[in-house]
Amino acid sequence: AGLGGAPQVVRLAWAAGHPGAWDWDVAALSAVVVVGTLRGKALLPRRAPPGLEVLVLVGLATGLSAAGLYAGGVVGAPPAGAGGARSLAVAPWDLPFRRLVDLCYGGAWAALA
């Protein structure tokens, strides 16, 4: 305890120094996402809403994963029955609205009331 972020920095340094251990699918997709996030706005129409490049990149990554073209790690399968049999959209599972408000706003909800 008390090390803060030191273990993560050590793991990052080790990973950066051992490219032979990299999963190249993950490295390539990560590079595309970083470059797309930093420079993607220039490729979109001028009147595109802010953040659209991020949504496009999420759609691209989701499509690659769904098509089986990405073999890297994923967060995990959605809960059984969520979103239907052929849907990529995942409906929220049993989460009461009050709990959702607490998660999103925390103590700020009381300040608004």
Side-chain angles (χ1 to χ4, degrees):
L3 295 176
Q8 289 84 1
V9 172
V10 170
R11 282 194 299 245
L12 176 65
W14 184 90
H18 294 85
W22 295 356
D23 184 350
W24 291 104
D25 292 346
V26 176
L29 186 58
S30 297
V32 168
V33 168
V34 168
V35 171
T37 302
L38 296 175
R39 303 283 183 200
K41 189 73 170 168
L43 300 174
L44 296 174
R46 183 176 292 257
R47 299 180 59 97
L52 182 62
E53 66 276 9
V54 175
L55 295 177
V56 169
L57 290 166
V58 168
L60 173 71
T62 302
L64 288 173
S65 182
L69 300 174
Y70 174 73
V74 294
V75 173
R86 306 248 331 142
S87 175
L88 290 176
V90 178
W93 45 96
D94 297 328
L95 181 64
F97 180 73
R98 179 70 186 158
R99 179 74 177 126
L100 180 64
V101 170
D102 290 341
L103 288 172
C104 292
Y105 297 105
W109 183 253
L112 292 175

